[in-house]
């Protein structure tokens, strides 16, 4: 990295750590010739000094906390040889709480890549855990060997603050230190140093397995918020006191936990010869994951508790009171209609036995993905819920209270739920669970999401509202109920609520809406137009018709994890007022449209994976065309809305739509039934990329009053428009099209040189301009379908004489005949 770039990077990180105009120290403890120390109030000079030595010394450091101006020597903004340095007494106020995650490894060595990644993963887990506790977003940094979290605080530099910070770090270490990554609980003194991010970490001699790395800031929140003293005190209060009592005979904690069926997330050494066990779930509140602990000190003393703020005060005697020594008593339960199963429970667990007895008529099952579900009766209807859900837990509490006039202990409820989870997962049949839309052979279902758990069943024979659908549906927070559909409606009435340019756009909108009633694939509906063209209203109408939700439209998700949550929790995904579609989002939308899973790491774990594999109807709206990559455009239906000149009051508009909704839903179901009757007779001479959508839409033509082939004509025009969009946004499409007039053959490198010579400077400066031959090759492959439809053939092959050489040909298509 060039010196100027190093200075720029270091200055950026110092601006995060230090207050503007404050005095701070730059320290290089192990420079050649002795330690170097300097006081700076000029961040530019400080960054330049750090950049000068970066990569030449083991490490460059700065104290995090604010110095007392009157207690410092002259500020000369340069480094010099000196043995003295900033002390704790020189600190004016504590501004940062540093949390240091360091891989366990031999001293004076760098970490391996695996150790480095494990430390960063644990820091992210800590960040997410604290965020769920109500803490603000921290700064996340890579130290080069491990990871740091920096949380803004505002405390005086005194003895009470010192103890508070040390107790918080000790509690952090209790929760997060493992056998492979240690959280440094001794990192609490006021003058504690941190590495200057942007400089090299050169601990020990580098090897292929243990390289030197540059430290860096990984994520800085847009706005930093100070951790309140109340939060710090609450967290520190959960730290167990060291036991001074030595028991006559040390207790085997691991064996006791196993006997009580208390699942351990992980265990590790702790606190000078002691040991700790972090429990998967809190015995006092099972919604607290990996917060409860049991520790055994070196002298054999034991402490227990939970680090969650609502559990402060729970201790080892209280934990022992919840559990008695197991006696091998067996409790019977199981799947409805199947042989009974058994579970060993603790002696005196009358509540557990009663809960199992009261819940003996449950219907247990698991999904093909291994998720455990239960069906239980509420009034005169059945409901399906995850066994681990809050709804099932409340049902168990209510059932127990109705029969005993008392509430069950949390542990008894958790024990029963764990039993049912195991039975459902390993001893019961597997059944799929659906969200809003389901299919069962030749029957299809639309969940009305009403209080009676009714659904609409439709097939080629007609549609009807059923009380007990043949498929299992799940309900999620935010889902709203659909009205009971009524017969005799006209789907053309829907056009009164839409701002569309033509009969063709109306047809494409309704056909896309129809497709969302069936299993995919689904076209991505792209809605664009000037401000004031009712883009958001059009998106909301689409979703409200078949999948109403409290949040009808969303902003673009931050990452794949957020998108997965949205796809798992809703049927129609509507993204509102977008300005662009990033490449990762475009790729994910393609997979949601035509199928293909994507995954991410499960929160609070290092290796468990969460996978979403399914299809969803998707709506994008924005002022400009949002789908620009050819793979997404091939899957899209694009609608350009005109500007509205005469607006209607929103309250009146939605009141009228609400009144028409039952008729419109019934009419849409009529179209679906008609399409199913005609489906087998549809014969398309040429099927497009979205073949399933085209066949279904063609089968619906009679119900929409369209002539045979009208849909494909409208769809072909729409795809031509999409093709034009793909060519317009590409910086190379126009040049490639001109080259095709005389044909061109050669390598990607040669093509890149040719494009560079032909293109003007403004085009070459565009972000989408290919930076190298590999990028150009990938761009050309994605653009090839659009070019082919525009009359340009792009082909790729390998040279027969030199098989390693890839070649490209660009030619104008020859007219047939």
């Amino acid at each position: 990295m060039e010196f100027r770039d190093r200075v720029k990077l270091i200055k950026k990180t110092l601006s995060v750590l230090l207050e503007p105009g404050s005095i701070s120290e730059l320290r290089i403890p192990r420079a050649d010739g002795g330690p170097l120390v300097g006081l700076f109030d000029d961040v530019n000079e400080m960054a330049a000094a750090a950049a000068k030595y970066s990569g030449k010394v083991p490490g460059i450091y700065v104290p995090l906390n604010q110095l007392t101006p009157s207690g410092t020597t002259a500020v000369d903004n340069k480094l010099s040889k000196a043995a003295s340095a900033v002390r704790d007494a020189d600190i004016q106020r504590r501004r940062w709480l540093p949390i240091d995650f360091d891989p366990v490894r031999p001293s004076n060595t760098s970490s391996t890549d695996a150790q480095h990644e494990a430390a960063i993963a644990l820091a992210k887990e800590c960040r997410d855990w604290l965020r769920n506790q109500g803490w603000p977003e921290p700064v996340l940094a890579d130290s080069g060997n491990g990871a740091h979290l920096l949380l803004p605080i505002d405390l005086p530099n005194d003895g009470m603050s010192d103890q508070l910070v040390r107790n918080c770090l000790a509690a952090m270490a209790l929760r997060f230190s493992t056998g492979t990554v240690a959280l440094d609980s001794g990192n609490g003194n006021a003058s504690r140093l941190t590495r200057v991010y942007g400089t090299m970490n050169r601990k020990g001699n580098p090897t292929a397995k243990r390289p030197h790395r540059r430290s860096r800031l990984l994520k800085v929140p847009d706005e930093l918020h100070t951790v309140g003293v109340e939060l710090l005190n609450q967290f520190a209060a959960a730290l167990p006191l060291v036991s001074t009592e030595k028991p006559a005979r040390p207790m085997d904690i691991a064996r006791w936990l196993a006997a009580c069926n208390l699942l351990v997330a992980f265990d590790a050494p702790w606190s000078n010869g002691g040991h700790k066990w972090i429990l998967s779930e809190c015995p006092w509140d099972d919604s607290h994951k990996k917060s409860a602990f049991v520790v055994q000190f070196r002298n054999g003393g034991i402490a227990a508790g939970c680090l969650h703020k609502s559990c402060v005060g729970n201790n080892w005697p209280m934990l022992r009171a919840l559990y008695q020594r197991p006696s091998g008593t067996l409790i019977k339960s199981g799947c409805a209609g199947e042989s009974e199963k058994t579970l060993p429970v603790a002696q005196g667990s009358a509540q557990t036995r009663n809960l199992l007895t009261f819940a003996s008529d449950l219907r247990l099952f698991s999904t093909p993905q291994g998720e455990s579900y239960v069906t239980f009766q509420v009034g005169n209807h059945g409901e399906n819920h995850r066994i681990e859900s809050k709804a099932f837990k409340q049902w168990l509490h209510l059932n127990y209270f109705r029969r005993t006039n008392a509430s069950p202990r949390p542990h008894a409820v958790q024990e029963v739920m764990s039993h049912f989870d195991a039975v459902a997962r390993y001893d019961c049949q597997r059944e799929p669970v659906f969200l809003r839309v389901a299919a069962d052979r030749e029957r299809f279902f639309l969940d009305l999401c009403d209080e009676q758990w009714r659904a609409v069943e439709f097939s080629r024979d007609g549609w009807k509202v059923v009380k007990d659908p043949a498929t299992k549906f799940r309900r999620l927070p935010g889902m709203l109920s659909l009205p009971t559909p009524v017969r005799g409606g006209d789907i053309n009435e829907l056009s009164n609520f839409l701002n569309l340019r033509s009969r063709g756009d109306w047809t494409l909108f309704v056909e896309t809406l129809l497709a969302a009633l069936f299993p995919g694939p689904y076209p991505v509906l792209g809605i664009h137009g000037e401000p004031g063209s009712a883009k958001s209203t059009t998106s909301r109408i689409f979703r409200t018709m078949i999948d109403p939700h409290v949040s009808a439209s969303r902003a673009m998700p931050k990452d794949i994890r957020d998108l997965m949550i949205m796809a798992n929790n809703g049927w129609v995904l509507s993204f509102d007022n977008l300005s662009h579609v990033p490449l990762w989002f475009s790729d994910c939308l393609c997979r949601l449209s035509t199928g293909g899973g994507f995954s991410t790491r499960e929160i609070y774990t290092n290796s468990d994976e969460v996978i979403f594999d399914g299809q969803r109807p998707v709506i994008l709206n924005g002022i400009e065309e949002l789908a620009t990559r050819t793979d997404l455009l091939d899957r899209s239906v694009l609608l350009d809305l005109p500007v509205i000149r005469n607006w209607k009051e929103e309250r009146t508009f939605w009141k009228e739509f609400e009144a028409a909704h039952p008729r419109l839903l019934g009419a849409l179901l009529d179209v679906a039934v008609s399409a199913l009757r005609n489906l087998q007779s549809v014969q398309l001479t040429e099927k497009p990329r979205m073949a399933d959508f085209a066949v279904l839409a063609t089968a619906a033509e009679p119900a929409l009053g369209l002539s045979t082939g009208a849909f494909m004509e409208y769809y072909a025009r729409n795809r031509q428009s999409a093709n034009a969009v793909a060519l317009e946004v590409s910086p190379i499409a126009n040049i490639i099209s001109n080259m095709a007039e005389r044909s061109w053959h050669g390598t990607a490198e040669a093509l890149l040189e040719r494009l560079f010579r032909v293109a003007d400077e403004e085009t070459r400066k565009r972000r989408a301009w290919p930076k190298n031959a590999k990028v150009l090759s990938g761009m050309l492959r994605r653009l090839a379908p659009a070019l082919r439809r525009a009359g340009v053939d792009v082909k790729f092959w390998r040279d027969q004489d030199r098989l390693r050489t890839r070649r490209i040909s660009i030619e104008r298509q020859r007219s047939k005949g």
Side-chain angles (χ1 to χ4, degrees):
M1 182 183 291
E2 295 292 333
F3 179 77
R4 182 184 302 174
D5 295 330
R6 293 202 304 270
V7 172
K8 184 177 180 181
L9 177 60
I10 294 170
K11 179 182 175 183
K12 182 178 179 181
T13 62
L14 290 174
S15 298
V16 173
L17 300 179
L18 307 179
E19 295 185 3
S22 64
I23 300 171
S24 190
E25 178 193 73
L26 194 66
R27 192 187 308 180
I28 305 177
R30 294 169 58 193
D32 291 341
L36 296 175
V37 178
L39 291 175
F40 292 79
D41 60 7
D42 187 329
V43 72
N44 294 302
E45 294 293 337
M46 195 175 191
K52 177 181 177 182
Y53 286 92
S54 178
K56 301 175 183 177
V57 294
I60 304 173
Y61 303 90
V62 63
L64 282 171
N65 293 315
Q66 182 178 346
L67 300 183
T68 305
S70 60
T72 64
T73 56
V75 178
D76 50 12
N77 287 298
K78 67 179 181 179
L79 290 168
S80 58
K81 293 181 181 180
S84 62
V86 169
R87 302 163 301 169
D88 288 346
D90 296 327
I91 300 300
Q92 182 180 20
R93 292 191 70 80
R94 288 177 177 265
R95 294 300 191 188
W96 291 97
L97 175 65
I99 308 175
D100 182 4
F101 298 87
D102 201 27
V104 177
R105 63 194 190 280
S107 61
N108 199 34
T109 61
S110 295
S111 59
T112 65
D113 288 343
Q115 291 172 332
H116 181 231
E117 291 168 4
I120 293 176
L122 189 61
K124 290 180 178 178
E125 180 181 340
C126 178
R127 175 196 61 187
D128 296 341
W129 189 86
L130 289 173
R131 193 161 47 194
N132 288 337
Q133 296 276 318
W135 289 51
E137 187 82 12
V139 174
L140 173 63
D142 176 355
S143 69
N145 280 324
H148 294 165
L149 293 179
L150 303 176
L151 285 148
I153 58 176
D154 187 10
L155 298 174
N157 182 23
D158 55 26
M160 291 183 61
S161 297
D162 184 79
Q163 193 60 51
L164 176 60
V165 169
R166 291 179 186 276
N167 287 347
C168 282
L169 291 176
M172 296 277 185
L174 170 61
R175 167 60 181 85
F176 289 101
S177 283
T178 67
T180 56
V181 178
L183 191 155
D184 188 354
S185 59
N187 204 14
N189 59 302
S191 61
R192 187 71 180 191
L193 301 174
T194 193
R195 192 171 299 276
V196 175
Y197 306 115
T199 63
M200 292 295 295
N201 186 331
R202 299 180 70 252
K203 183 167 287 188
N205 295 321
T207 65
K209 291 185 178 181
R210 297 182 180 275
H212 290 161
R213 303 181 187 87
R214 187 179 301 279
S215 61
R216 58 199 175 106
L217 292 176
L218 297 178
K219 186 174 182 182
V220 179
D222 294 334
E223 188 174 350
L224 289 168
H225 297 281
T226 301
V227 183
V229 177
E230 182 180 355
L231 271 179
L232 295 172
N233 282 322
Q234 284 177 347
F235 193 70
L239 183 69
L241 298 176
V242 177
S243 175
T244 57
E245 296 183 8
K246 184 176 180 180
R249 192 173 78 181
M251 185 174 183
D252 189 336
I253 296 297
R255 184 176 181 181
W256 185 85
L257 292 172
C260 293
N261 294 321
L262 285 168
L263 299 180
V264 176
F266 67 90
D267 67 296
W270 184 71
S271 186
N272 299 322
H275 204 85
K276 67 175 183 179
W277 292 262
I278 302 298
L279 306 184
S280 297
E281 294 179 347
C282 173
W284 297 282
D285 189 335
D286 55 18
S287 67
H288 303 163
K289 309 298 183 184
K290 296 185 182 180
S291 296
F293 61 87
V294 178
V295 297
Q296 189 167 38
F297 301 101
R298 182 171 56 181
N299 63 2
I302 304 169
C306 178
L307 294 171
H308 196 282
K309 58 186 179 182
S310 65
C311 269
V312 172
N314 293 324
N315 55 30
W316 171 240
M318 295 172 67
L319 180 62
R320 292 201 70 179
L322 285 177
Y323 295 86
Q324 302 299 326
R325 184 180 303 278
S327 66
T329 306
L330 298 181
I331 295 297
K332 294 185 176 181
S333 185
C335 303
E338 297 186 10
S339 60
E340 293 181 324
K341 317 300 173 187
T342 60
L343 173 74
V345 298
Q347 181 181 10
S349 321
Q351 291 189 348
T352 301
R353 288 193 293 272
N354 287 338
L355 278 167
L356 287 170
T357 302
F358 299 161
S360 59
D361 58 347
L362 295 175
R363 178 72 171 88
L364 305 177
F365 64 99
S366 64
T367 67
Q369 293 76 31
E371 296 176 333
S372 301
Y373 272 82
V374 58
T375 301
F376 53 81
Q377 287 296 120
V378 177
N380 61 354
H381 68 275
E383 297 187 4
N384 312 308
H385 293 278
R386 291 279 297 271
I387 287 179
E388 63 182 24
S389 67
K390 185 177 181 179
F392 182 46
K393 185 187 298 183
Q394 290 174 336
W395 184 88
L396 288 172
H397 272 273
L398 180 62
N399 242 24
Y400 188 91
F401 187 84
R402 283 175 173 171
R403 300 188 185 215
T404 67
N405 203 33
S407 296
R409 289 185 295 105
H411 172 63
V413 175
Q414 186 57 45
E415 194 171 46
V416 169
M417 292 175 70
S418 297
H419 171 67
F420 286 147
D421 180 45
V423 172
R425 185 166 306 198
Y426 297 110
D427 288 334
C428 293
Q429 67 184 32
R430 301 213 163 196
E431 298 181 41
V433 177
F434 299 92
L435 185 71
R436 190 67 84 169
V437 169
D440 179 29
R441 298 177 182 173
E442 295 183 356
R443 294 182 299 171
F444 302 88
F445 299 87
L446 175 65
D447 186 9
L448 292 179
C449 281
D450 59 7
E451 293 182 355
Q452 294 78 39
W453 282 64
R454 297 181 303 163
V456 180
E457 177 185 323
F458 60 100
S459 66
R460 58 181 295 117
D461 298 324
W463 61 265
K464 60 183 178 181
V465 177
V466 294
K467 179 182 176 182
D468 187 19
T471 55
K472 301 285 189 183
F473 283 104
R474 60 189 174 102
R475 302 281 178 83
L476 292 165
M479 295 179 71
L480 299 178
S481 62
L482 283 165
T484 302
V486 299
R487 303 183 188 277
D490 182 359
I491 194 61
N492 288 294
E493 184 184 359
L494 184 58
S495 62
N496 297 334
F497 301 96
L498 298 171
N499 178 41
L500 299 172
R501 289 183 182 274
S502 64
R503 178 67 175 175
D505 284 357
W506 154 249
T507 299
L508 292 171
F509 181 91
V510 174
E511 297 281 27
T512 305
L513 182 62
L514 173 68
L517 289 178
F518 294 89
Y522 306 102
V524 175
L525 183 62
I527 301 173
H528 58 273
E530 296 180 36
S533 55
K535 300 182 294 297
S536 298
T537 301
T538 304
S539 301
R540 184 176 172 185
I541 287 288
F542 186 104
R543 183 166 193 182
T544 304
M545 275 292 296
I546 60 171
D547 183 35
H549 197 277
V550 292
S551 179
S553 292
R554 303 283 187 89
M556 187 179 72
K558 294 186 297 184
D559 51 31
I560 291 180
R561 182 191 296 276
D562 284 355
L563 179 60
M564 284 180 61
I565 292 172
M566 291 180 187
N568 189 62
N569 294 349
W571 181 242
V572 176
L573 304 184
S574 179
F575 301 102
D576 187 46
N577 199 27
L578 303 184
S579 57
H580 73 291
V581 174
L583 298 184
W584 72 267
F585 190 37
S586 180
D587 291 340
C588 288
L589 292 178
C590 290
R591 280 175 272 174
L592 283 172
S593 170
T594 51
F598 42 94
S599 65
T600 185
R601 184 179 64 84
E602 185 174 7
I603 193 168
Y604 304 132
T605 69
N606 290 330
S607 58
D608 292 344
E609 191 176 39
V610 179
I611 300 173
F612 177 86
D613 188 5
Q615 298 167 331
R616 292 287 186 268
V618 176
I619 309 169
L620 308 174
N621 83 59
I623 294 176
E624 301 177 3
E625 293 94 342
L626 295 165
T628 57
R629 286 171 59 114
T630 52
D631 48 358
L632 181 57
L633 284 166
D634 275 351
R635 296 167 168 87
S636 298
V637 167
L638 304 183
L639 301 180
D640 184 15
L641 307 187
V643 175
I644 295 176
R645 302 299 179 186
N646 187 21
W647 289 85
K648 180 180 288 189
E649 290 182 1
E650 187 165 342
R651 180 175 55 184
T652 303
F653 176 89
W654 288 110
K655 185 177 181 179
E656 292 175 356
F657 177 79
E658 184 178 349
H661 196 179
R663 300 191 303 272
L664 294 172
L665 183 57
L668 183 63
L669 291 166
D670 289 338
V671 175
V673 170
S674 175
L676 289 171
R677 290 171 180 166
N678 300 329
L679 204 58
Q680 298 300 320
S681 62
V682 173
Q683 298 291 331
L684 297 180
T685 55
E686 185 177 347
K687 293 181 180 179
R689 171 72 174 270
M690 303 296 293
D692 301 84
F693 168 60
V695 171
L696 177 67
T698 300
E701 285 176 337
L704 296 176
L706 300 173
S707 59
T708 303
F711 166 75
M712 285 304 298
E713 182 180 344
Y714 295 143
Y715 189 42
R717 291 176 188 170
N718 196 268
R719 293 179 71 231
Q720 288 174 0
S721 298
N723 202 66
V725 170
L727 298 178
E728 286 173 5
V729 300
S730 171
I732 66 172
N734 189 49
I735 303 174
I736 295 294
S737 182
N738 292 335
M739 290 173 61
E741 297 298 334
R742 296 187 178 182
S743 299
W744 185 91
H745 305 270
T747 64
E749 290 82 357
L751 179 59
L752 184 62
E753 292 179 5
R754 174 71 177 273
L755 293 174
F756 191 85
R757 291 197 304 270
V758 174
D760 56 44
E761 184 178 359
E762 183 178 353
T763 301
R764 293 196 302 268
K765 287 184 177 180
R766 290 173 59 180
R767 175 182 290 185
W769 180 261
K771 302 299 187 294
N772 54 54
K774 183 179 180 180
V775 173
L776 173 61
S777 182
M779 181 185 294
L780 205 54
R781 287 181 185 276
R782 289 192 298 270
L783 199 61
L787 288 168
R788 193 172 299 116
R789 287 190 286 268
V792 176
D793 270 336
V794 178
K795 297 178 181 178
F796 300 82
W797 79 95
R798 291 186 182 275
D799 197 306
Q800 293 296 323
D801 297 328
R802 291 175 294 177
L803 293 179
R804 292 186 177 181
T805 304
R806 297 180 180 180
R807 304 187 70 83
I808 302 171
S809 68
I810 302 170
E811 298 177 340
R812 178 66 62 184
Q813 290 178 353
R814 307 302 178 197
S815 58
K816 298 180 180 180

